[in-house]
Amino acid sequence: MTNHGDIAEYALRLGDDALVHGQRLCEWCADAPFLEEDIAIANAGLDYLGRARMLLQYAGSILGRSEDELAFLRDAPEFRNLLIVELPRGDFAFATVCQYLLDEYELLFFEALTNSKDETLAAIAAKAIKEVRYHQRRSVEWMRRLGLGTEESNRRAQAALDELWGYVAEFFDADELETRVIADGVGVDRSALEVVWRDRVGDLLDEVELSLPGDEWQVSGGRSGVHTEHLGHMLGEMQFMQRAYPGLEW
Amino acid sequence: MAAAASIPIMPEARFALNQRRQNSQFAELFDLLDAVKDPEIPVLSIWDLGILQDVACDAGRVEVTITPTYSGCPAMAQIAEDIVACLADAGYDNVDVTQRLTPAWTTDWIDASTRKRLREYGIAGPDSAVCPQCGSSDTSVISEFGSTSCKALLRCNSCLEPFDQFKRL
Ligand SMILES: [Zn+2]
């Protein structure tokens, strides 16, 4: 029987991935290259925020904290998201490549999580996977347009890829807690997803004339609360209203 | 009647949902809730869309179970409020609205008559890329992410008008 604390922490990690990434996507609102794309990014952002709410509500129901407390009243070291989602949004190529790498990972991850022995996590995963399929189709199309578009778009996509590549190792890391929830059939063994992920990403990069970066440097730490300097700045904006007006609702 | 020419096949999931309502001892509550419409598509009720999953009543306390279409659908909060208001009008003032995620919402719950009303309202159904304005099937996708989470944006190459399509999920 899995310890409830472990399940809460596991849900919190997944909820933080969705919350932080959703917040970054929403930064594009009114700032995307054209109207349809603006709407698409905001829509995807909404999917992530909805997913974050489900996961934080679940974690909060075990921890005795509300979803708002978890989202708005924790400081950076208490966040458990993967580092890749907290990076500043960069240019459109950076945001697109980031989304693509994440989409391919989430396709594999949520598909596997639908088999979780924890019914709530399995249900959230079943909901998420349908949305991820739409996200991935969009990001693949954009990878094609950027990679095969102009010299400039290819150069920017390659630069983004080179900068983001060091963060992907974190997709497949498991610490002690994760090893425990995997053993209980609650969590997903992410290390088992890496080969397929690398195959799929490698094939697409090949197709769109981008080169696979080397693995010279890798950073991790998000799952244990060691973040980049960017997360605090993002939280400063995201949490401002609740910090300034505690308990605010509308 | 032209509609009788072909009998649409009802998806299994929708059939199960209809059975639940037919066999329910709270049929009058289901009937009352037909008045609750989707805030974005006012011609369709939450029952038509498969958002309304179940209704039960125990010792004066009504429990309404709904399921979200998309994880982040902002209409869910509005729908929950509308359910409470609708039942309050009929004298039920102890109402709980709970969200259930399983089975995950699917466009298979939208039956043929609902799809027809959707089309008349100007939105193409989940498996149709036919222009709801002129009926042309010469259309193309502008974006799979439209004005709301559940809609894609298409363009008709015959009448040149853009239109919404209910995304298949
Ligand atoms: Zn037309």
Side-chain angles (χ1 to χ4, degrees):
Chain A
M1 200 40 218
T2 309
N3 163 330
H4 283 290
D6 279 358
I7 295 186
E9 171 74 15
Y10 192 64
L12 192 68
R13 292 175 174 194
L14 302 180
D16 284 348
D17 287 345
L19 177 63
V20 172
H21 189 62
Q23 175 73 14
R24 282 292 185 216
L25 287 180
C26 292
E27 290 177 9
W28 281 97
C29 196
D31 217 5
F34 49 88
L35 181 65
E36 285 77 11
E37 211 39 48
D38 209 277
I39 293 168
I41 298 178
N43 258 309
L46 206 53
D47 289 342
Y48 278 97
L49 294 183
R51 191 196 303 167
R53 291 193 58 188
M54 292 178 194
L55 288 159
L56 294 185
Q57 276 168 12
Y58 185 42
S61 71
I62 299 169
L63 300 170
R65 302 179 75 179
S66 73
E67 55 175 310
D68 280 357
E69 274 176 66
L70 291 174
F72 298 121
L73 299 179
R74 280 180 304 151
D75 206 349
E78 296 168 274
F79 271 76
R80 292 291 180 265
N81 58 280
L82 300 169
L83 299 178
I84 195 167
V85 297
E86 73 195 40
L87 301 175
R89 65 188 171 104
D91 63 8
F92 187 69
F94 189 87
T96 301
V97 174
C98 178
Q99 186 66 47
Y100 169 68
L101 298 174
L102 191 64
D103 286 340
E104 292 287 7
Y105 159 73
E106 289 190 337
L107 267 187
L108 296 167
F109 179 83
F110 285 109
E111 191 73 63
L113 191 66
T114 59
N115 298 317
S116 172
K117 283 188 183 157
D118 183 279
E119 280 179 18
T120 307
L121 290 176
I124 295 171
K127 193 95 201 110
I129 188 75
K130 292 178 161 209
E131 294 162 6
V132 173
R133 289 190 191 115
Y134 270 100
H135 300 167
Q136 188 260 6
R137 273 219 296 277
R138 173 176 160 271
S139 62
V140 165
E141 277 186 28
W142 269 113
M143 289 296 287
R144 293 203 173 99
R145 274 187 257 179
L146 294 177
L148 305 171
T150 62
E151 224 170 85
E152 172 79 357
S153 70
N154 181 286
R155 183 186 63 73
R156 287 190 186 222
Q158 187 65 55
L161 194 57
D162 294 341
E163 196 176 330
L164 285 159
W165 200 252
Y167 295 90
V168 303
E170 220 184 17
F171 285 155
F172 311 108
D173 273 351
D175 62 359
E176 273 175 40
L177 181 140
E178 203 159 318
T179 310
R180 286 199 299 274
V181 292
I182 293 166
D184 292 334
V186 166
V188 172
D189 180 4
R190 297 187 292 145
S191 64
L193 311 176
E194 183 164 8
V195 175
V196 184
W197 184 88
R198 280 186 180 258
D199 274 356
R200 288 186 186 173
V201 170
D203 285 351
L204 185 84
L205 294 183
D206 223 32
E207 181 202 323
V208 305
E209 296 175 11
L210 293 169
S211 30
L212 193 71
D215 295 314
E216 293 86 13
W217 61 276
Q218 292 178 337
V219 277
S220 62
R223 288 290 190 246
S224 50
V226 181
H227 290 278
T228 67
E229 68 273 31
H230 309 297
L231 181 64
H233 293 279
M234 198 205 85
L235 295 183
E237 184 171 318
M238 187 179 90
Q239 298 182 331
F240 175 81
M241 292 300 279
Q242 279 299 325
R243 300 275 190 189
Y245 305 94
L248 174 79
E249 284 182 45
W250 67 75
Chain B
M1 266 174 65
S6 67
I7 300 168
I9 297 166
M10 184 180 294
E12 210 173 311
R14 181 71 213 190
F15 181 74
L17 201 58
N18 289 354
Q19 289 292 101
R20 194 178 303 150
R21 177 169 179 168
Q22 263 164 32
N23 298 332
S24 169
Q25 41 176 321
F26 307 109
E28 80 281 6
L29 291 173
F30 272 102
D31 294 347
L32 283 172
L33 290 173
D34 280 336
V36 180
K37 308 296 180 190
D38 183 299
E40 298 284 344
I41 312 169
V43 293
L44 300 184
S45 70
I46 55 171
W47 168 253
D48 294 330
L49 288 166
I51 292 168
L52 177 59
Q53 289 284 302
D54 209 353
V55 189
C57 183
D58 184 34
R61 186 183 146 275
V62 180
E63 179 162 15
V64 180
T65 308
I66 57 174
T67 192
T69 51
Y70 280 75
S71 301
C73 177
M76 295 310 286
Q78 180 68 50
I79 287 170
E81 279 177 28
D82 292 349
I83 288 171
V84 172
C86 164
L87 293 177
D89 282 347
Y92 298 91
D93 44 19
N94 187 359
V95 177
D96 272 331
V97 181
T98 41
Q99 276 201 29
R100 181 162 70 197
L101 296 179
T102 317
W105 185 82
T106 161
T107 37
D108 287 348
W109 282 334
I110 303 175
D111 70 15
S113 77
T114 301
R115 285 167 198 236
K116 187 165 168 281
R117 277 182 291 148
L118 203 54
R119 192 164 59 242
E120 285 160 1
Y121 186 65
I123 302 171
D127 299 297
S128 156
V130 173
C131 170
Q133 273 103 221
C134 75
S136 167
S137 44
D138 181 13
T139 58
S140 43
V141 178
I142 296 174
S143 171
E144 283 196 313
F145 295 83
S147 54
T148 63
S149 303
C150 56
K151 287 179 238 148
L153 184 63
L154 279 71
R155 175 180 42 224
C156 175
N157 299 324
S158 300
C159 71
L160 304 179
E161 291 290 330
F163 63 94
D164 280 332
Q165 180 206 35
F166 218 82
K167 280 154 71 168
R168 178 169 185 76
L169 194 73

